Amino acid sequence: MNGAGGGLIKVMVVDDQDLVRDGIATILDGQPDIEVAAQAVDGADAVRQAASMLNLQVILMDVRMPVMDGIEATRQLAGSERGPKVIILTTFDLDEYVYAALRAGASGFLLKRSSRDELINAVRVIAAGDALLAPPVTRRLIDRFAAAGQDPAAVDQLTALTAREREVLQLLAEGNSNAEIATSLHLTEHTVKTHVSRILTKTGLRDRVQAVILGYDAGLVQPRTV
């Protein structure tokens, strides 16, 4: 699997700990379809380097770093329409920082204790335009987005969607894959992908994670009670 342009998936690794950063880079550089194009020691360094790099697709971002933390760096990077996608690296699966990072525009998160294969797969998944929504802990985090109740601004964003697109968004927010959505609505996976693409375009969202958050904010999905 290669990047969106058919070439190598270009990655940046951001962590203030040299051993962690170098270890991740070594694992990823060993893959034939992935190139670690840069390493950064903090969020400010990451933002600065990313601004001058072409075709950078994925950034693996630590959260707690000096100078600029991963949340602020993610917020600045997510402000670029065609900027790289961010995967937050965290030690704790219910870290408050992860919730804030998803709000800031991260495309998902990965635990630092994840396996080598999970790390490699995460980069490929994000580069392909998907999002890291599968782990149950991610769902627990996203459930929190509905805690404050329905957001009027999010409801307004839904007005641009067709009835079918709302159905797709609701199923997406519930954590269903494209294949599962296709089965539920008796559509082809290709048609579902088209609907998801249109939802992102109409709402101005970057990826599926942000679409899930919108679904919760708009009240299409209710938080779990257990």
Side-chain angles (χ1 to χ4, degrees):
M1 179 185 299
N2 291 326
L8 292 173
I9 300 171
K10 291 192 175 183
V11 177
M12 178 188 292
V13 181
V14 187
D15 199 295
D16 62 326
Q17 297 183 48
D18 292 348
L19 286 177
V20 173
R21 192 175 64 249
D22 291 343
I24 292 172
T26 297
I27 291 172
L28 296 178
D29 256 340
Q31 302 307 302
D33 57 334
I34 299 174
E35 173 192 354
V36 177
Q39 296 187 39
V41 298
D42 57 55
D45 188 20
V47 172
R48 182 170 54 252
Q49 289 194 58
S52 62
M53 295 181 66
L54 296 176
N55 303 318
L56 180 64
Q57 293 169 265
V58 179
I59 296 180
L60 288 158
M61 180 81 72
D62 188 23
V63 175
R64 302 175 186 180
M65 297 178 290
V67 184
M68 180 187 292
D69 64 30
I71 296 173
E72 179 57 30
T74 297
R75 184 176 293 111
Q76 293 190 25
L77 290 163
S80 174
E81 183 178 349
R82 303 189 66 180
K85 303 293 182 64
V86 176
I87 302 173
I88 292 294
L89 292 171
T90 180
T91 303
F92 306 105
D93 56 7
L94 285 179
D95 195 327
E96 291 294 324
Y97 288 98
V98 176
Y99 174 80
L102 290 175
R103 273 288 188 202
S107 294
F109 79 95
L110 191 67
L111 296 176
K112 285 189 174 180
R113 65 173 179 266
S114 298
S115 69
R116 174 181 177 277
D117 288 344
E118 288 172 332
L119 171 65
I120 295 167
N121 181 65
V123 170
R124 290 172 176 159
V125 165
I126 294 298
D130 212 326
L132 296 177
L133 293 176
V137 64
T138 308
R139 294 196 180 100
R140 291 202 302 271
L141 278 167
I142 294 177
D143 277 348
R144 296 189 53 192
F145 287 111
Q150 197 176 65
D151 181 352
V155 175
D156 287 344
Q157 282 185 275
L158 298 187
T159 60
L161 305 182
T162 66
R164 176 62 87 188
E165 287 164 352
R166 289 192 186 204
E167 288 180 314
V168 171
L169 177 58
Q170 179 176 348
L171 291 170
L172 178 64
E174 290 172 353
N176 292 284
S177 66
N178 284 350
E180 291 167 336
I181 295 172
T183 298
S184 296
L185 298 180
H186 307 290
L187 303 171
T188 65
E189 279 193 61
H190 176 75
T191 299
V192 172
K193 288 180 180 178
T194 299
H195 282 310
V196 171
S197 178
R198 287 175 179 167
I199 289 168
L200 296 179
T201 298
K202 288 181 177 181
T203 57
L205 301 173
R206 282 169 57 88
D207 55 35
R208 294 169 71 99
V209 167
Q210 303 306 306
V212 168
I213 293 171
L214 173 63
Y216 274 83
D217 283 348
L220 288 180
V221 181
Q222 298 301 314
R224 295 173 300 178
T225 58
V226 294

